[in-house]
Amino acid sequence: MNERPLTKTLLTKPCCEDDAPGNVNAGDPRVALVGNPNVGKSTLFNMLTGARQRIGNWPGKTVSVAQGTWRSPHGDITLIDLPGTYSLLPGSPDEALTRDLLVDRGMDGRPDLVVITVDAANLARNLYLLAQVMETGVPLVVALTMVDIAKSRGIRIDAGRLAELVGAPVVPVVPRRGEGVDELGRVIGEALAAPRRPAVPVLGADLEAALESVTAEVPGEAAARYPARWLSIALLAGEPVPGVPEETTAAARALGTALNTDDDLDDPELLIAEQRYAWVHEVIADVVTRNSAGHATWSDRVDRVLTSRWVGPPIFLGVMWAVFVLTTTVAEPLMTGLQGLFDGPVATGAGRLLDAMGAGDAIRGLVMNGLVSGVGQVLSFVPLMAIMFVLLSVLEDSGYLARAAFVVDRLMRLIGLPGRAFLPLIVGFGCNVPALAGTRILSDRRHRLLTGLLIPFVTCSARLTVYVLVATAFFGSAAGTVVFAMYVLSIALVIGMGLVLRGTLFRGMAEEPLVLDLPPYRLPAVRVIGAQTWLKLQAFLKTASGIIVATVTLVWLFSSIPFGGQGSFGRTPIEHSVFGAASHAVAPAFAPAGFGDWHASAALITGFVAKEAVVSTMAQTYSMGEPADGNEPGGLGAALRATIEQTSNGHPIPAVLAFLVFLLAYTPCMTTVAAQRAEIGGRLTLFGIGMQLTLAWLLAVAVFQIGSLFL
């Protein structure tokens, strides 16, 4: 873009008096964190709030936002970690929420103060968003992050001069090490006690005159709802604003178009952007000093390898393979110890307590064969989940996962999706539900719909518990490699189904380039890793515990009801119960896949509700049906091996692989179905369920039929 000159003496001007802020609620101040992606915003949020945070949809919106309590020296402050954005010109629901919170005075939950995180090592890219935030007139504090990285690159930022130009405090911080956080807290406390508007970037004499003309024509209702300068700029750029008549918008846009004297700038929005960038370059020239010649850093040299077209993908696969092998290897003895605890002392103690209470057979069956056995099986996987969350948090905090987004960007383009779609897909490896919510970062509706249909094929952490149980029982020390193969297959399914859907339902989708800042490589912070791991583990246990108890109770209930007139309530073998009859009825459908047994079909039925319940249902059915095996340590794996040996006619390996493939490909859980319906609609959700079940069955049959010829 051509730059229009601005004088250094008139970079900014004070904001208009009619935009003066209202009184801050000292009892419950709200501070919003705003910034580009990968500039340390969420790291600062995690450092300040620790475990005192929650994630949920903003009231009245479909956008998920993290909120937490910061116990600052000035009292408790509610911190809001808004989604990362490069601009206040909304291209997605996430960006629209950030914009609305800053400019719409009628919106509930507006922040009293904004802390905008600015990357000192990449100041030019960050100042454009800062210019837009300044134009909203919202009281703000600038947190200058990555100052240690900037220093290592020979870059020095004059924070004092930057504060003068912005008209707001500027505080250098290194959130990962806690440096500058106390000073930031002091400055925020002062800003909350005496809020003031920042300066606004001067956009050139012609534009400034046009903005004054537009401001004079704005209706009183809109002028009271939105900041005057932001509203004038939006109208001049031709953006429709609620409450402003169409004729006013059209007249403002015509005025903006008339300002263009450059044939390359036929859009007033481009003219405004050019003037903002001119302001950015003036600020950079005034506050930045470079002490080095700009030679390539070691980070640049490493990136040439890790983001290489040919070397990057194998390295990514190798890293993920190491994660899964390390996870299963380290977790195995811990899982065995926990399972022994539940099979031994816990089961014995529960039995004695029930005897002392005089519990009947029905209650005893629920507690011993249901809750103790089922819940114990799932809780034994807690070390596995914790280790997995730690390793993935290390990869994220070190900066590697951002490189992985670039590595897979070419794969995303094969299926017609932008590289940004990789981010919700990566979240899906933890849980499909927040991954579906993450599709809101995509600006194109068709991109969001396609990604929403593909996310259920991303194998979530709940499936991991079943993978490990089955893989350990059948493959021993090679279990980690088998689990890794399931994740590779998950990626292959996403790509394969993406190609199919792109060529059928989603033909002619527009392409979108990947825009993503690469964060610097860093040593992971123990405090950050610990907080993230605990939050994820806590969320897993909270979700799994409720699902498991409910599912175990229902399975016990239907397993206690006799079917066909045999036995009485609570005194019937499970295979002759209502639940057993339903499982027997479904089992023949899986015979071509080599696992046509009612135990397997029973687990898959409850797995449709939640994958966390698959292991507990297996433990419950085998414990009730085959108490000798179920009560022995490791007996669940032995019972499963015996079943697969029988149903596969001597081909257990292809049969168990078919079972794992079906588990991977069919519907993750009912919670995912509900999230899908909210994001992509009921019709596409039903289509997705049918697609998942059909594909899962076809793949499972193919794996067994072909595998039994060779294995």
Side-chain angles (χ1 to χ4, degrees):
M1 260 181 207
N2 297 327
E3 296 177 15
R4 300 190 180 210
L6 294 175
T7 59
K8 285 188 179 181
T9 57
L10 199 59
L11 290 176
T12 55
K13 66 177 183 179
C15 189
C16 39
E17 294 298 329
D18 64 325
D19 281 337
N23 294 329
V24 173
N25 182 358
D28 186 23
R30 301 169 64 83
V31 175
L33 297 180
V34 176
N36 291 173
N38 295 320
V39 297
K41 175 174 61 67
S42 294
T43 302
L44 179 62
F45 174 78
N46 290 329
M47 175 65 69
L48 296 178
T49 61
R52 300 176 298 277
Q53 54 183 262
R54 62 183 178 84
I55 298 176
N57 282 358
W58 192 263
K61 302 288 183 178
T62 59
V63 178
S64 183
V65 175
Q67 298 188 61
T69 301
W70 174 25
R71 292 175 179 166
S72 75
H74 303 277
D76 287 355
I77 294 175
T78 298
L79 277 187
I80 308 165
D81 185 15
L82 292 175
T85 180
Y86 291 100
S87 170
L88 290 187
L89 182 63
S92 69
D94 280 1
E95 294 170 347
L97 173 65
T98 299
R99 191 273 315 270
D100 291 345
L101 275 176
L102 297 186
V103 305
D104 190 347
R105 292 171 179 154
M107 188 170 180
D108 293 336
R110 288 193 71 220
D112 303 304
L113 179 76
V114 166
V115 174
I116 181 167
T117 51
V118 174
D119 182 358
N122 297 286
L123 195 59
R125 287 203 296 269
N126 289 246
L127 285 182
Y128 187 86
L129 177 62
L130 175 59
Q132 290 181 301
V133 174
M134 291 166 63
E135 290 165 352
T136 68
V138 63
L140 62 86
V141 170
V142 178
L144 195 62
T145 62
M146 310 288 183
V147 290
D148 53 339
I149 303 297
K151 182 178 180 180
S152 68
R153 296 177 181 176
I155 300 172
R156 189 180 71 85
I157 310 295
D158 187 342
R161 177 57 179 157
L162 181 59
E164 293 177 9
L165 297 176
V166 174
V170 176
V171 183
V173 295
V174 183
R176 301 166 55 77
R177 299 202 295 261
E179 296 177 8
V181 171
D182 291 340
E183 175 65 11
L184 180 65
R186 183 188 67 79
V187 170
I188 289 175
E190 293 176 353
L192 286 170
R196 62 188 179 94
R197 299 296 184 184
V200 292
V202 175
L203 301 180
D206 292 342
L207 262 178
E208 293 295 336
L211 290 174
E212 290 183 9
S213 299
V214 173
T215 301
E217 300 297 325
V218 173
E221 179 184 348
R225 182 175 177 181
Y226 302 103
R229 186 172 181 85
W230 174 87
L231 180 59
S232 300
I233 291 175
L235 294 176
L236 202 66
E239 294 182 46
V241 178
V244 178
E246 292 184 9
E247 56 269 22
T248 303
T249 303
R253 182 176 178 85
L255 180 60
T257 303
L259 292 173
N260 294 325
T261 58
D262 190 334
D263 293 337
D264 294 333
L265 297 175
D266 58 354
D267 188 333
E269 188 178 307
L270 294 178
L271 177 64
I272 295 169
E274 183 201 47
Q275 290 297 316
R276 286 197 188 112
Y277 278 117
W279 175 83
V280 167
H281 293 154
E282 291 285 350
V283 172
I284 293 294
D286 207 357
V287 305
V288 176
T289 303
R290 297 181 182 274
N291 300 324
S292 65
H295 59 276
T297 64
W298 71 270
S299 178
D300 297 328
R301 292 191 289 268
V302 172
D303 278 341
R304 291 192 189 117
V305 177
L306 294 185
T307 61
S308 164
R309 172 177 297 187
W310 305 111
V311 181
I315 291 178
F316 173 66
L317 291 176
V319 168
M320 299 311 295
W321 174 82
V323 166
F324 296 121
V325 170
L326 185 60
T327 298
T328 54
T329 302
V330 175
E332 185 178 4
L334 299 175
M335 292 166 59
T336 302
L338 273 178
Q339 187 59 54
L341 175 66
F342 277 92
D343 289 342
V346 173
T348 301
R352 290 174 179 172
L353 180 61
L354 291 172
D355 289 340
M357 295 172 59
D361 292 342
I363 298 299
R364 187 178 184 85
L366 170 63
V367 174
M368 297 299 296
N369 299 324
L371 295 176
V372 173
S373 179
V375 175
Q377 282 285 343
V378 174
L379 289 182
S380 68
F381 285 97
V382 168
L384 176 83
M385 305 301 292
I387 294 169
M388 174 65 71
F389 290 147
V390 166
L391 294 177
L392 291 180
S393 295
V394 166
L395 291 180
E396 181 179 6
D397 205 41
S398 66
Y400 178 72
L401 281 189
R403 274 76 184 174
F406 277 89
V407 169
V408 302
D409 179 51
R410 297 179 185 90
L411 291 178
M412 292 289 97
R413 295 185 184 282
L414 284 177
I415 58 179
L417 289 174
R420 295 179 75 186
F422 172 74
L423 300 177
L425 290 173
I426 276 290
V427 172
F429 285 108
C431 179
N432 289 174
V433 175
L436 285 162
T439 60
R440 299 164 194 159
I441 68 172
L442 303 176
S443 56
D444 189 283
R445 179 175 177 272
R446 300 190 79 195
H447 290 161
R448 293 197 295 270
L449 294 178
L450 177 55
T451 307
L453 283 173
L454 296 177
I455 281 175
F457 293 112
V458 178
T459 187
C460 61
S461 57
R463 293 166 171 138
L464 177 62
T465 58
V466 191
Y467 295 158
V468 172
L469 170 68
V470 176
T472 302
F474 285 85
F475 300 97
S477 60
T481 301
V482 173
V483 173
F484 169 71
M486 299 308 300
Y487 278 77
V488 173
L489 178 60
S490 173
I491 297 172
L493 286 179
V494 169
I495 296 171
M497 293 309 300
L499 289 172
V500 172
L501 292 172
R502 182 190 183 188
T504 53
L505 296 181
F506 295 90
R507 288 192 298 269
M509 280 195 310
E511 291 192 0
E512 180 181 306
L514 174 64
V515 179
L516 182 67
D517 281 335
L518 291 180
Y521 291 105
R522 298 165 296 197
L523 286 175
V526 175
R527 179 178 175 181
V528 173
I529 297 299
Q532 291 177 347
T533 300
W534 171 243
L535 286 172
K536 293 175 183 177
L537 191 61
Q538 193 178 37
F540 170 78
L541 289 175
K542 183 178 179 180
T543 302
S545 59
I547 290 172
I548 290 165
V549 171
T551 306
V552 163
T553 302
L554 287 175
V555 170
W556 166 81
L557 176 63
F558 289 114
S559 300
S560 300
I561 301 174
F563 182 83
Q566 298 187 35
S568 58
F569 183 82
R571 294 177 177 272
T572 183
I574 189 171
E575 60 266 31
H576 299 306
S577 66
V578 170
F579 183 70
S583 302
H584 277 289
V586 174
F590 299 112
F595 53 91
D597 176 76
W598 73 275
H599 292 90
S601 59
L604 294 176
I605 289 172
T606 57
F608 191 90
V609 178
K611 292 298 180 288
E612 293 91 343
V614 170
V615 173
S616 62
T617 301
M618 284 184 175
Q620 202 170 357
T621 56
Y622 278 113
S623 178
M624 296 174 77
E626 299 165 34
D629 288 337
N631 292 332
E632 296 174 3
L636 181 57
L640 186 60
R641 284 197 306 272
T643 297
I644 297 297
E645 283 277 0
Q646 181 180 359
T647 60
S648 65
N649 294 321
H651 299 286
I653 298 302
V656 76
L657 291 176
F659 178 80
L660 290 175
V661 168
F662 187 91
L663 186 82
L664 162 64
Y666 89 116
T667 307
C669 63
M670 289 305 297
T671 308
T672 297
V673 171
Q676 257 192 316
R677 184 178 182 277
E679 299 297 332
I680 67 176
R683 292 178 62 185
L684 274 182
T685 298
L686 289 175
F687 169 78
I689 293 173
M691 176 179 65
Q692 295 150 20
L693 290 171
T694 302
L695 179 65
W697 187 84
L698 291 174
L699 286 177
V701 171
V703 167
F704 177 71
Q705 295 296 333
I706 296 174
S708 60
L709 298 176
F710 301 99
L711 300 177

